[in-house]
Amino acid sequence: MTYAVGMRLNRGLVFMSDTRTNAGVDNVSTFNKMFNWTVEGERSITLLTAGNLATTQATISLLEERTKAPEDRSPSILEAPTMFQVAQLVAETLNDVIEEHGRSGQQADSAFHATLILGGQIKGGSSRLFLIYPEGNFIEAGDDTPFFQIGETKYGRPILVRAYDPTMSFPETVKLLLVSFDSTIKANLSVGAPLDLLLYDEDSFEAGTRSRFEADDAYFRTISEGWGDALKSALARLPEYTSETEQNG
């Protein structure tokens, strides 16, 4: 399982993903699920992956190959003129990989599904964020839906819905995301550290600031313990329940 989030802010884009994959409790591994392609001064593109590992790795490999040799750059995410067209290319590549599994005799197509979060900016346009489905279609983030989650989303969603604000600073957003990921990790053992983070400044057209939080990271531990203490304290301050009989004396 995976948990990954892509978020739009006034300041730019924020991405975070875990790195755990498992095929049973006795087969747990760490794999990168965050990928970035940058042409300094012209574009920066980030992709988060969730789902079948063979599918996501094949999709990334195809996208990567098309960015290298000039004769293989059609289609390439480094040549697409807009982020919308990049999203189309990525969605088509993902769908092609899944269909190839079917053509090769692997009948359980759903087992090879994957979902992606794509975000970035190309010179001449603003930063954009997309959620790409295995069927090859996608939706774009907007004011009403300013962030996307993929993988194990339900445990970390409530804090994002309650606390997100487009005017948040990067440090505030990182704190929010770490609480969301900590809640997910505590509820589902198939999600785990290290956690990868990328911060992209609007109109920078650079790769952005990338960091990794290990399980024993001091700041991550502080957030985890502090959030637990804060929840207990908030619960204690809420009014006590009294039955209707007690209320009526």
Side-chain angles (χ1 to χ4, degrees):
M1 187 58 74
T2 294
Y3 182 41
V5 179
M7 184 173 286
R8 284 182 55 196
L9 300 172
N10 292 349
R11 180 172 175 179
L13 300 173
V14 180
F15 305 90
M16 185 175 280
S17 66
D18 85 320
T19 55
R20 179 170 293 180
T21 62
N22 69 295
V25 295
D26 59 347
N27 187 12
V28 177
S29 302
T30 296
F31 283 92
N32 180 36
K33 303 172 189 177
M34 178 184 293
F35 305 87
N36 177 269
W37 295 267
T38 298
V39 178
E40 294 289 340
E42 197 270 331
R43 71 181 62 202
S44 181
I45 299 167
T46 299
L47 194 65
L48 305 180
T49 66
N52 179 267
L53 186 61
T55 298
T56 58
Q57 287 191 336
T59 301
I60 296 299
S61 294
L62 283 171
L63 294 172
E64 183 70 24
E65 284 186 2
R66 292 169 182 168
T67 67
K68 292 181 178 179
E71 63 272 15
D72 295 330
R73 285 189 178 181
S74 181
S76 169
I77 58 176
L78 295 186
E79 292 191 343
T82 67
M83 281 301 302
F84 182 83
Q85 292 187 40
V86 172
Q88 287 182 313
L89 290 175
V90 174
E92 290 168 2
T93 303
L94 173 63
N95 187 243
D96 287 346
V97 169
I98 293 172
E99 287 187 350
E100 179 61 30
H101 288 313
R103 288 193 294 270
S104 64
Q106 302 178 65
Q107 298 301 316
D109 289 345
S110 62
F112 297 96
H113 280 187
T115 310
L116 312 176
I117 293 175
L118 170 73
Q121 186 178 18
I122 296 174
K123 198 165 186 177
S126 59
S127 62
R128 301 174 75 174
L129 186 69
F130 301 89
L131 175 63
I132 300 175
Y133 297 103
E135 293 79 12
N137 54 346
F138 55 87
I139 59 175
E140 183 173 2
D143 293 339
D144 294 330
T145 309
F147 62 84
F148 290 131
Q149 301 167 278
I150 53 176
E152 184 54 88
T153 62
K154 57 184 177 290
Y155 301 110
R157 184 173 180 79
I159 181 61
L160 299 182
V161 171
R162 286 177 177 269
Y164 167 84
D165 188 312
T167 66
M168 295 174 74
S169 67
F170 279 165
E172 290 172 328
T173 306
V174 172
K175 181 167 57 176
L176 172 63
L177 287 174
L178 286 178
V179 170
S180 178
F181 273 75
D182 180 64
S183 300
T184 305
I185 289 170
K186 281 183 166 53
N188 191 321
L189 292 176
S190 68
V191 177
L195 307 178
D196 287 330
L197 168 72
L198 190 146
L199 307 173
Y200 173 76
D201 272 299
E202 187 80 8
D203 297 329
S204 68
F205 304 106
E206 296 178 350
T209 303
R210 188 158 181 170
S211 307
R212 170 166 282 197
F213 296 92
E214 300 289 346
D216 60 352
D217 180 87
Y219 180 66
F220 185 30
R221 287 204 316 270
T222 298
I223 293 297
S224 176
E225 294 168 3
W227 179 245
D229 292 341
L231 285 176
K232 293 175 184 176
S233 177
L235 182 62
R237 290 197 301 271
L238 292 174
E240 295 293 334
Y241 167 78
T242 56
S243 68
E244 188 173 320
T245 301
E246 291 174 322
Q247 290 174 0
N248 294 333

